[in-house]
Amino acid sequence: MQKTKILRNKIYPYLISIGLVFFTTLLGEFVKRRLEPTNIVMFYLLVVVIVAIRWGQGPAIVTSILSVLTFDFFLIPPYLTLNVHDFEYLFTFAVFLVVGIIVSTLASKVREQIIQRQTEKLHSALLNSISHDFKTPLASITGALSAFLDSNSRLDAQQVKELLETARGESERLNLLVNNLLDMTRTESGVLRISKKPCDLRDFMGACFEQFKSRIGSRNIEIEFPKDMPEVAVDFPYMLKAFMNIIDNALKYSPDGSPVEVVGSCIGRKVQIVVRDHGCGIPKEDLGHIFDKFYRVRNAGNILGTGLGLSISKNIIEAHGGCISAESILGKGATFIVEFPTE
Ligand code: ATP
Ligand code: MG
């Protein structure tokens, strides 16, 4: 499927360029009695420039050559032949071709430069975002440890405990961030090697919530799977990571004490797992972006995060041949729907 998509993306520009040349020739047919052929050439040149800027050198060169041929065949007397009466036109053709090739080379260079600049911009935006995420917990850890060291033993046991807990919490956050970044690069580079083994989804969910024991507190976690739920083949550690990110969000973006529901079902040859929380929800306009890396909803308030969790989950779920989507009613909660094949 990916190959057809790549092939289609490569062929489309050529097809559209050919279409544009024929459209220009048609236009030339309408105006050829009112305009000198050397002026009609300008329309073709415009098409070459547009094609070069939009799709680069290859389609632009094809457009230049095709333009000269159709221009000669349809718009230069004698019509419907490639012969020319007036040899001056040969000069026009030659100049057109040279100009076409120069323009397409220049335009494609500009295109490359723009892309390069966008990539550089993206890289520095990513670096800024990552350094900021590193700086905050590091500052808190340094702050807590300095307060402890500078206190000259004047702190009571409770205060010492609080400082150390802050340092530990922030270290855990740093650890999570580094792990997320590593997972991101691992799952994104397309080399994700998953080794699937049959697994019972109820056990899987149990193992997943086990990781959040300390954060669940008084929350009601409802896990509902039908009795005849089939086993599915998954890479346990990776899939665990995928669901841990979803559940981490469900706990993080909903108030303490509110319930989280997990409902499993089997639809044909697919299993579906729905994770629902009753928290702040996600604005409609953000729903399409939350799976992008580093994307965070603006009104996420002061809830900490890097915007990597869901993109990692998506990579992992897709590597299993599955898909993930989200629905939400703002202020009422968010629902994440994961589907993957049973085989
Ligand atoms: P990270 O998971 O990397 O620590 P994060 O939680 O901000 O950071 P994602 O898990 O990728 O990043 O989620 C992207 C954004 O989607 C979040 O910042 C949040 O705004 C929104 N979001 C995700 N899950 C929920 C949810 N259950 N309820 C409300 N908003 C959510
Ligand atoms: Mg998250």
Side-chain angles (χ1 to χ4, degrees):
M1 195 137 126
Q2 191 73 7
K3 261 189 188 165
T4 4
K5 208 171 159 189
I6 293 171
L7 206 67
R8 213 173 45 202
N9 286 348
K10 278 198 169 160
I11 290 173
Y12 269 3
Y14 287 94
L15 292 181
I16 297 171
S17 309
I18 293 170
L20 283 173
V21 171
F22 278 101
F23 177 75
T24 314
T25 311
L26 212 64
L27 189 75
E29 277 292 335
F30 279 113
V31 297
K32 77 178 176 195
R33 273 174 241 302
R34 266 170 268 165
L35 277 183
E36 281 292 311
T38 38
N39 290 329
I40 297 177
V41 161
M42 294 304 154
F43 292 132
Y44 285 103
L45 214 51
L46 186 65
V47 172
V48 173
V49 175
I50 292 171
V51 169
I53 292 174
R54 184 71 183 81
W55 293 293
Q57 204 169 22
I61 289 176
V62 170
T63 309
S64 305
I65 296 169
L66 198 64
S67 296
V68 168
L69 293 177
T70 49
F71 177 56
D72 179 7
F73 198 77
F74 293 103
L75 303 173
I76 301 292
Y79 298 120
L80 303 182
T81 153
L82 288 177
N83 296 335
V84 282
H85 275 333
D86 190 340
F87 280 94
E88 260 186 38
Y89 286 125
L90 288 182
F91 180 70
T92 312
F93 296 158
V95 171
F96 180 89
L97 260 187
V98 172
V99 170
I101 289 168
I102 292 175
V103 164
S104 60
T105 313
L106 286 179
S108 64
K109 271 207 181 119
V110 170
R111 238 169 72 96
E112 272 165 28
Q113 273 172 5
I114 291 171
I115 294 165
Q116 210 173 338
R117 225 167 277 164
Q118 275 176 345
T119 320
E120 276 165 20
K121 246 185 174 168
L122 189 70
H123 278 161
S124 64
L126 292 189
L127 265 182
N128 275 345
S129 149
I130 296 170
S131 356
H132 179 261
D133 289 322
F134 270 102
K135 248 170 35 197
T136 326
L138 276 176
S140 307
I141 295 169
T142 319
L145 294 180
S146 310
F148 176 60
L149 290 173
D150 299 343
S151 67
N152 295 328
S153 313
R154 279 196 305 266
L155 297 172
D156 63 33
Q158 180 60 24
Q159 286 168 317
V160 170
K161 191 170 170 249
E162 273 168 21
L163 283 179
L164 292 180
E165 267 171 4
T166 306
R168 185 175 63 181
E170 295 297 318
S171 313
E172 279 169 359
R173 216 152 76 74
L174 264 184
N175 194 21
L176 190 79
L177 176 60
V178 173
N179 280 336
N180 271 352
L181 280 171
L182 285 175
D183 285 342
M184 188 69 234
T185 33
R186 253 183 239 141
T187 60
E188 208 193 19
S189 52
V191 290
L192 180 60
R193 274 177 211 280
I194 49 172
S195 84
K196 295 187 192 176
K197 285 202 184 93
C199 115
D200 180 294
L201 285 175
R202 245 173 303 223
D203 293 346
F204 171 79
M205 270 304 153
C208 203
F209 277 100
E210 182 67 22
Q211 314 284 326
F212 294 99
K213 242 184 353 204
S214 60
R215 281 171 60 193
I216 287 173
S218 63
R219 277 175 193 264
N220 190 12
I221 309 290
E222 290 169 27
I223 305 180
E224 203 183 301
F225 279 97
K227 285 210 172 66
D228 55 352
M229 191 79 180
E231 284 201 329
V232 284
V234 295
D235 185 306
F236 200 95
Y238 269 124
M239 202 44 109
L240 195 65
K241 227 166 244 178
F243 274 88
M244 276 173 67
N245 285 329
I246 299 170
I247 288 158
D248 174 53
N249 286 347
L251 297 174
K252 193 158 82 165
Y253 298 106
S254 67
D256 253 353
S258 67
V260 174
E261 293 131 34
V262 180
V263 181
S265 57
C266 191
I267 308 167
R269 291 179 167 191
K270 280 182 188 166
V271 290
Q272 189 188 66
I273 301 176
V274 174
V275 179
R276 184 175 297 119
D277 66 61
H278 300 269
C280 60
I282 303 159
K284 224 179 181 175
E285 59 274 21
D286 293 296
L287 275 177
H289 302 288
I290 51 171
F291 298 100
D292 297 346
K293 55 176 187 278
F294 294 107
Y295 191 87
R296 303 202 73 216
V297 176
R298 251 169 219 269
N299 73 355
N302 47 11
I303 299 169
L304 297 168
T306 24
L308 279 176
L310 285 179
S311 51
I312 295 168
S313 302
K314 186 171 187 265
N315 287 345
I316 295 173
I317 289 160
E318 286 181 353
H320 280 77
C323 60
I324 176 167
S325 58
E327 291 168 1
S328 173
I329 300 173
L330 198 60
K332 298 237 155 129
T335 304
F336 284 82
I337 303 144
V338 178
E339 284 183 355
F340 46 94
T342 42
E343 289 101 36

